Amino acid sequence: QVQLVQSGGGLVQAGGSLRLSCAASGRTFNRYAMGWFRQAPGKEREFVAAISWGGGNTYYADSVKGRFTISRENAKNTVYLQMNSLKPEDTAVYYCAADARYSDVAGMGDGVDYWGKGTLVTVSS
């Protein structure tokens, strides 16, 4: 079992920055690929960013490419999402995800094994 505890988020003006963190329990963090998804009001959950076990591979949704950066510190069992140049359309609940398969956290598999509880990001215009 992996438990994911999220922090960060909040209210920011358009053009601003926020950093989300996701701390994982357990000693096998470096065996999991990690990702971030988001769900805006009235919309389905969508993929945002993914990072491989060792951090050498990353993948982003086109809508955030060049603005968001995913990273991880395996020594701290933590994955981050640095969000810059935020837009009102980035407003959503953001979820951390963990899975043994990179394709799953990259939104191309058949589901994610573990989810965080979500954190709200609100970008005002």
Side-chain angles (χ1 to χ4, degrees):
Q1 280 282 359
V2 175
Q3 291 187 331
L4 304 175
V5 178
Q6 299 181 218
S7 59
L11 174 64
V12 65
Q13 287 188 332
S17 298
L18 283 174
R19 188 176 81 159
L20 305 181
S21 299
C22 174
S25 64
R27 300 180 180 180
T28 59
F29 177 72
N30 62 356
R31 298 182 185 178
Y32 288 91
M34 301 295 295
W36 290 94
F37 291 72
R38 68 186 181 187
Q39 187 167 17
K43 296 187 177 181
E44 293 186 354
R45 190 176 298 186
E46 64 175 5
F47 165 74
V48 174
I51 189 165
S52 59
W53 309 272
N57 291 308
T58 57
Y59 179 63
Y60 297 92
D62 288 342
S63 58
V64 306
K65 201 173 295 182
R67 300 188 298 122
F68 290 11
T69 302
I70 188 170
S71 62
R72 64 190 295 163
E73 286 189 74
N74 287 345
K76 295 184 178 181
N77 282 12
T78 301
V79 63
Y80 305 97
L81 185 67
Q82 177 67 43
M83 304 183 292
N84 298 328
S85 302
L86 281 161
K87 305 175 181 179
E89 51 264 43
D90 294 318
T91 295
V93 176
Y94 283 71
Y95 296 91
C96 176
D99 198 290
R101 295 196 301 180
Y102 183 59
S103 60
D104 286 345
V105 295
M108 294 180 283
D110 58 3
V112 168
D113 287 340
Y114 303 103
W115 291 100
K117 292 185 178 181
T119 186
L120 178 62
V121 172
T122 303
V123 184
S124 63
S125 58

